[in-house]
Amino acid sequence: MIPLSEMQIIQIDVTNACHNRCSNCTRFTGHHQKPFFMDMDTFRRAVDSLVDFPGMVGMIGGEPLLHPRFAEMAEYLAERIPEKKRRGLWSTVPKALGRKYGSLIREVYGNYFFNDHSVGQVMHQP
C-alpha cells in the first residue's frame, strides 16, 4: 500500500447517493435505502487537514453533485486549496445538475473526471 505521504490524489467521499443503480458498481452507490451525506463540519476538517498536501484534493461519491451542500463544499475547497490545478471532481454530471452547477464546476475545479453513463463508451464497464 502506498503511504499517504506519497499519494498524488486524495479524494473526499462526500456521499454514497447516486442517480444510477449500476449492477456492477464497485462502490455500491445508488443501492442504499438511506444515502449518506457528509456533514459540512466534517468536510471542512477534511479539507483543512489537506491544505499542505502537495497533490490533488478531490470530491467523489456516489454523485457529489447530489449532495445538498455541494456548492458550499466546492466554494470552501476553492477557498482553502488556492491552486485550481490541485482541485478535482469525480462525477457523472447528471444533466439537470450539470446545468445548475456547470459554471461553478468550471470556476472551482482544475481537473474533472466525468463518467457519462448515458453514452456507449464509459470509463468503466462490467
Side-chain angles (χ1 to χ4, degrees):
M1 184 157 91
I2 300 172
L4 283 176
S5 61
E6 295 177 21
M7 298 294 293
Q8 295 178 18
I9 300 170
I10 294 179
Q11 300 170 336
I12 302 171
D13 199 338
V14 298
T15 184
N16 63 2
C18 186
H19 60 289
N20 293 308
R21 293 189 181 274
C22 304
S23 62
N24 62 312
C25 181
T26 59
R27 299 180 50 83
F28 304 110
T29 61
H31 297 278
H32 304 281
Q33 291 196 1
K34 183 178 179 189
F36 160 80
F37 293 102
M38 179 180 282
D39 65 82
M40 198 59 201
D41 288 337
T42 302
F43 182 78
R44 284 187 196 104
R45 284 195 312 273
V47 171
D48 291 349
S49 74
L50 296 168
V51 167
D52 294 325
F53 174 68
M56 187 189 315
V57 177
M59 285 176 64
I60 194 169
E63 175 49 64
L65 277 66
L66 289 175
H67 196 293
R69 297 181 77 178
F70 171 76
E72 187 178 350
M73 289 176 159
E75 290 165 357
Y76 189 79
L77 182 65
E79 176 185 315
R80 298 295 291 148
I81 309 290
E83 302 90 357
K84 188 174 182 176
K85 68 180 181 180
R86 289 188 48 227
R87 300 187 301 255
L89 175 66
W90 281 255
S91 172
T92 62
V93 189
K95 287 188 186 347
L97 294 174
R99 285 189 293 274
K100 178 178 180 180
Y101 293 124
S103 61
L104 177 66
I105 291 169
R106 287 186 297 277
E107 178 184 321
V108 170
Y109 298 95
N111 298 280
Y112 329 114
F113 302 93
F114 297 149
N115 192 357
D116 185 352
H117 288 65
S118 67
V119 296
Q121 181 69 21
V122 295
M123 294 172 65
H124 62 266
Q125 297 186 18

